[in-house]
Amino acid sequence: MKATLFAILSLFSIALVNAQNIQLCKTVNVKIFSEAPLENIEAVSKKAVSAINTEENSLYFEVPIQSLDFEKDLMEEHFNENYIESDKYPTAKYNGNFMGDIKWDTPGIYEVTVKGVLELHGVEQERTDKGTIAIAEDGTISSNAVFNVKCVDHKIKIPKLVIKNIAEEIEVTVSATYTPYKE
């Protein structure tokens, strides 16, 4: 976890001179959901990390794939070994920028668009997704987003034999609450 936080801070190294612009979340909630004819698949992780640079309107997420916890052990095993190959591709990463102006010092809920790159299963894909940023009266920043990831876009192969068990598109829900980085 410390190495991951160091990597995140390295990505934001230019802004470390002005550390108050860096917001961190060490326990991002990530949920994946696949609705398929025979069985729904759901997994949750609370071990993802994220950072926001409010000066540069940039955003970074990193999810350890094996931290996704499934209801059934066999689902988790198949997900990690057969589809995502988490030994070979241990993390999913997102690096992007908020489009438009966000008044980081003004409380409110902001509908946002984020443009960036999702790296999953060793494949990078440019994406534009929508979400919300909530800024509380005390300055606490929270983010929420729901988006879909197509397996084919990341070269995740689903054998025809199990196509009714796994959807070709996975819904991803991400929520995080940030605290200011302190040196």
Side-chain angles (χ1 to χ4, degrees):
M1 181 64 83
K2 287 183 182 182
T4 300
L5 287 175
F6 178 75
I8 289 172
L9 291 174
S10 295
L11 287 170
F12 290 91
S13 61
I14 295 171
L16 284 179
V17 175
N18 250 338
Q20 71 268 14
N21 297 322
I22 304 296
Q23 301 284 322
L24 296 177
C25 181
K26 299 176 187 177
T27 55
V28 177
N29 292 311
V30 177
K31 178 178 120 179
I32 64 171
F33 180 75
S34 164
E35 185 174 1
L38 293 181
E39 183 172 37
N40 292 340
I41 298 170
E42 185 174 340
V44 177
S45 172
K46 294 182 188 289
K47 294 185 179 177
V49 294
S50 180
I52 291 176
N53 180 326
T54 59
E55 185 174 301
E56 297 182 6
N57 279 348
S58 57
L59 171 71
Y60 180 82
F61 279 97
E62 186 168 309
V63 183
I65 297 296
Q66 290 187 359
S67 72
L68 287 162
D69 186 31
F70 291 75
E71 183 179 318
K72 296 179 181 176
D73 290 342
L74 189 57
M75 279 183 188
E76 189 167 327
E77 182 181 323
H78 287 170
F79 176 82
N80 282 297
E81 292 178 9
N82 301 337
Y83 305 113
I84 299 294
E85 301 173 276
S86 60
D87 286 341
K88 190 174 180 181
Y89 308 107
T91 58
K93 299 175 186 174
Y94 181 84
N95 197 1
N97 291 89
F98 296 100
M99 309 308 293
D101 289 327
I102 299 171
K103 295 177 179 143
W104 296 103
D105 57 351
T106 304
I109 297 175
Y110 299 87
E111 298 293 325
V112 295
T113 299
V114 183
K115 185 174 183 179
V117 175
L118 172 65
E119 180 184 336
L120 174 65
H121 196 242
V123 177
E124 292 183 350
Q125 182 202 34
E126 288 189 25
R127 304 182 54 89
T128 302
D129 295 297
K130 296 193 179 294
T132 58
I133 292 288
I135 302 172
E137 290 291 331
D138 67 359
T140 301
I141 297 172
S142 299
S143 68
N144 291 291
V146 178
F147 56 92
N148 292 315
V149 176
K150 293 181 182 178
C151 295
V152 69
D153 289 346
H154 294 278
K155 298 183 181 173
I156 299 168
K157 295 183 176 138
I158 301 171
K160 291 183 187 209
L161 183 64
V162 294
I163 200 73
K164 290 187 177 185
N165 294 19
I166 300 170
E168 295 179 52
E169 194 168 277
I170 308 298
E171 180 183 81
V172 180
T173 304
V174 180
S175 62
T177 300
Y178 298 84
T179 56
Y181 169 71
K182 295 182 179 148
E183 293 184 60

